[in-house]
Amino acid sequence: MLLKVEKLNIALGGNQIIKNLSFSVEKGEILTILGPNGSGKSVLVKTLLGLIPYEGKITWGEEIKIGYLPQGLSQLKMQESPLTVWEFFDLKSSSPSLQDVKHFLGLVGLESSILSQVAGTLSGGQFQRVLLAWVLISHPNVIFLDEPTTGVDIAGGKTIYSLLYDIKKKENITVFLITHDLNIVYKHSTNVLCLSRQGYTCFGKPKQILNKKKLEQIFGMEVKYYKH
Amino acid sequence: MSTQLMLSLISGIFISGIAAYLGTLMLSKKMTIVAGPLAHLAFPGVALALVFGFNISIGVFPFVIVGAILIWYLEKKTKLPLENLSAIIFASGVGIGLLFLPIDKAEEALVGSIVSITPVETFLAIVLSVLVFFVTRYIYKKVILINIHEGLAKIEGINVDIYSLIYLLSIAIVVALSVYLVGALITAALIAIPPASAKSISNSFRSYKILAVLFGIMSAVLGIFISKIFGLPTGPVVVLVGVVIFLFSIIFKKSS
């Protein structure tokens, strides 16, 4: 068991965001947290990370090391200062060595010449790869990906998700994917946790979740989706 | 060179250097605007000092530091944007100041008093600048990461509240020092202009920091000399030299 959540309740500013939620995650699984904007996906993630107070029980397994790729970490934010890619890695509390940084850049398919470039000037795909390397370099065994620019092709038909999936095959990491993109759900996830704005929740294998009726309950309207 | 000029130059170099260094951190959080309101909190302090006849610095420091702590606390409590809170602090400072400030004696507070700085004050300015330099260097990377993303910083094990407070206190000390150099009205210029000049022509954070400090010190030294030669008030001249450097940096950027 990696994570067990029992009767979780989260309220923010008087609003009940998450109500009576229970689910569990095993080591090496990919859990997709699916729901429309405003359904509390990011709030749930921040709660699991210990950044928001809650009621109920959250139990993490032993020797958990979490990596987090937050929502809204955009290049725009990086343009506020002329930070090079190397200087961005140097911000980490662990102060990684140059050799380590080069290794992880290689893992996500980047040349080490990118280190001297200013992070704010990278292409969207390059920036996503740098971020993934930035998270992976701490050797996390659990990774949270909060809606990294969904489905963006970061080179050769690869998305941030497929790249992560490749890396996951080599290292036994557990992945939490937060998304509203149904196409990603079907492909790789072990389980899907769905949240809706109306407080409806469900948890199970993608095949059980991704049917028309359930999706309408999650997204509250007619949805188009494609079977893979 | 007279001893007085030496003292002005030495304190000017230290104050403008540390102001620019801290400014590089503030510019990346779009916080340089906070320095202005904080500087205006010096007014009540100056007013009290003038009314009761004690040294202005004794009046300025407590007010600015309490102001910084207030901003920190209110941001945590109300979640209002910093700009907004600064405006409130700014208004309170000027309001209270104007109630008590003897306007005819207020010139020192408005345009700075570096030309009459005493040896003890110079010594204090050096000690505080060096102290803030080391504190800023220690918190620098952590604050940058907090600026980029608070959640990310927390996962990296950074205590956001504590570092934000240390950061604001450093700003408060630098602001109080800057009030000496250029006066309360244009303090923000010492903090905002050199980093702005450096940013447009830097290709890494390292060069950005070094250039900012260099530009800050240049403005102070040239400003003090020019004002001395032409008999002009020092504070405004220091700021205007900074503006000229900024204009050059834009031209240099365009041509490169």
Side-chain angles (χ1 to χ4, degrees):
Chain A
M1 198 270 305
L2 179 109
L3 170 69
K4 195 170 173 132
V5 173
E6 294 161 277
K7 294 183 179 160
L8 180 67
N9 283 284
I10 311 168
L12 279 183
N15 290 326
Q16 186 84 20
I17 313 281
I18 300 287
K19 210 172 163 184
N20 216 11
L21 182 69
S22 298
F23 65 95
S24 63
V25 180
E26 297 294 325
K27 264 185 196 151
E29 287 187 353
I30 298 180
L31 175 73
T32 299
I33 301 175
L34 177 73
N37 293 328
S39 58
K41 301 188 295 287
S42 290
V43 171
L44 175 61
V45 168
K46 282 184 190 151
T47 308
L48 295 178
L49 292 173
L51 304 177
I52 294 177
Y54 61 90
E55 279 174 31
K57 213 171 157 193
I58 296 175
T59 322
W60 282 99
E62 277 166 21
E63 288 175 29
I64 295 297
K65 193 155 185 348
I66 291 173
Y68 173 43
L69 217 166
Q71 188 181 23
L73 180 57
S74 69
Q75 268 176 296
L76 221 60
K77 193 78 202 168
M78 305 294 292
Q79 281 160 4
E80 286 174 15
S81 44
L83 208 63
T84 64
V85 173
W86 164 249
E87 285 168 332
F88 180 49
F89 275 95
D90 196 39
L91 293 180
K92 286 194 84 93
S93 302
S94 56
S95 302
S97 69
L98 183 61
Q99 205 187 348
D100 244 18
V101 173
K102 282 181 178 171
H103 171 74
F104 277 91
L105 284 177
L107 210 61
V108 298
L110 289 171
E111 302 279 335
S112 44
S113 62
I114 203 170
L115 282 171
S116 59
Q117 284 190 41
V118 174
T121 63
L122 300 178
S123 75
Q126 282 176 323
F127 186 64
Q128 286 289 328
R129 284 171 182 240
V130 166
L131 280 182
L132 189 58
W134 200 90
V135 171
L136 288 172
I137 202 167
S138 315
H139 299 283
N141 47 26
V142 180
I143 294 186
F144 283 86
L145 291 174
D146 196 350
E147 303 222 28
T149 48
T150 314
V152 163
D153 184 0
I154 58 173
K158 285 207 165 185
T159 64
I160 191 92
Y161 300 108
S162 50
L163 189 62
L164 185 73
Y165 195 63
D166 290 346
I167 292 164
K168 194 186 136 28
K169 279 186 221 154
K170 290 179 212 156
E171 298 181 36
N172 189 32
I173 45 179
T174 311
V175 179
F176 289 74
L177 273 185
I178 296 85
T179 185
H180 56 254
D181 188 340
L182 295 171
N183 298 313
I184 288 150
V185 177
Y186 214 64
K187 242 178 190 165
H188 299 310
S189 21
T190 323
N191 283 311
V192 178
L193 173 69
C194 57
L195 304 173
S196 78
R197 270 179 230 149
Q198 290 72 33
Y200 170 82
T201 59
C202 56
F203 178 69
K205 298 263 174 267
K207 276 188 184 159
Q208 300 163 344
I209 304 294
L210 296 183
N211 58 60
K212 201 160 177 281
K213 192 169 159 249
K214 279 246 166 71
L215 288 174
E216 277 174 19
Q217 277 174 306
I218 302 167
F219 289 92
M221 49 167 183
E222 272 203 29
V223 266
K224 282 183 196 153
Y225 82 104
Y226 309 96
K227 272 207 165 173
H228 293 268
Chain B
M1 197 187 293
S2 73
T3 317
Q4 186 60 63
L5 184 59
M6 274 296 273
L7 290 178
S8 304
L9 277 174
I10 292 169
S11 49
I13 287 169
F14 274 90
I15 294 171
S16 61
I18 188 63
Y21 180 57
L22 194 64
T24 58
L25 195 50
M26 293 172 73
L27 185 60
S28 54
K29 206 190 175 183
K30 293 185 178 153
M31 257 190 66
T32 48
I33 196 69
V34 175
L38 268 180
H40 286 75
L41 270 184
F43 276 123
V46 172
L48 284 179
L50 288 175
V51 170
F52 294 103
F54 53 80
N55 190 299
I56 285 181
S57 58
I58 300 170
V60 169
F61 275 94
F63 273 92
V64 176
I65 285 171
V66 168
I69 294 173
L70 258 179
I71 291 180
W72 173 77
Y73 179 76
L74 288 174
E75 193 200 13
K76 249 167 75 86
K77 261 286 180 283
T78 63
K79 305 278 173 208
L80 283 167
L82 269 180
E83 297 98 334
N84 198 320
L85 291 171
S86 304
I88 297 168
I89 298 289
F90 168 86
S92 334
V94 175
I96 299 170
L98 288 178
L99 270 186
F100 302 106
L101 190 69
I103 295 292
D104 52 320
K105 294 186 205 158
E107 196 191 327
E108 269 189 33
L110 294 176
V111 296
S113 51
I114 198 140
V115 285
S116 58
I117 198 164
T118 65
V120 176
E121 287 170 336
T122 306
F123 176 72
L124 259 173
I126 294 171
V127 170
L128 286 173
S129 302
V130 171
L131 176 78
V132 173
F133 171 74
F134 282 109
V135 170
T136 307
R137 210 175 65 159
Y138 176 71
I139 65 170
Y140 207 98
K141 283 185 197 173
K142 297 173 176 88
V143 173
I144 290 283
L145 197 58
I146 294 171
N147 293 351
I148 291 173
H149 199 287
E150 260 194 47
L152 205 62
K154 282 179 181 165
I155 292 293
E156 286 289 310
I158 296 168
N159 188 327
V160 173
D161 284 344
I162 297 289
Y163 281 102
S164 301
L165 180 62
I166 299 176
Y167 176 48
L168 272 170
L169 286 177
S170 306
I171 294 173
I173 293 174
V174 169
V175 162
L177 285 173
S178 308
V179 170
Y180 268 109
L181 186 51
V182 294
L185 282 184
I186 38 187
T187 296
L190 277 191
I191 290 167
I193 298 178
S197 314
K199 193 187 169 191
S200 56
I201 55 174
S202 303
N203 53 11
S204 74
F205 220 92
R206 200 182 137 76
S207 63
Y208 166 54
K209 283 191 280 195
I210 294 171
L211 281 176
V213 172
L214 208 67
F215 290 157
I217 292 176
M218 265 170 71
S219 326
V221 172
L222 287 174
I224 289 170
F225 273 122
I226 293 172
S227 69
K228 175 98 179 153
I229 292 165
F230 295 98
L232 295 165
T234 310
V237 178
V238 169
V239 171
L240 289 176
V241 173
V243 173
V244 170
I245 295 175
F246 174 67
L247 293 176
F248 271 113
S249 78
I250 296 175
I251 297 165
F252 182 80
K253 194 198 178 188
K254 270 196 174 159
S255 61
S256 67

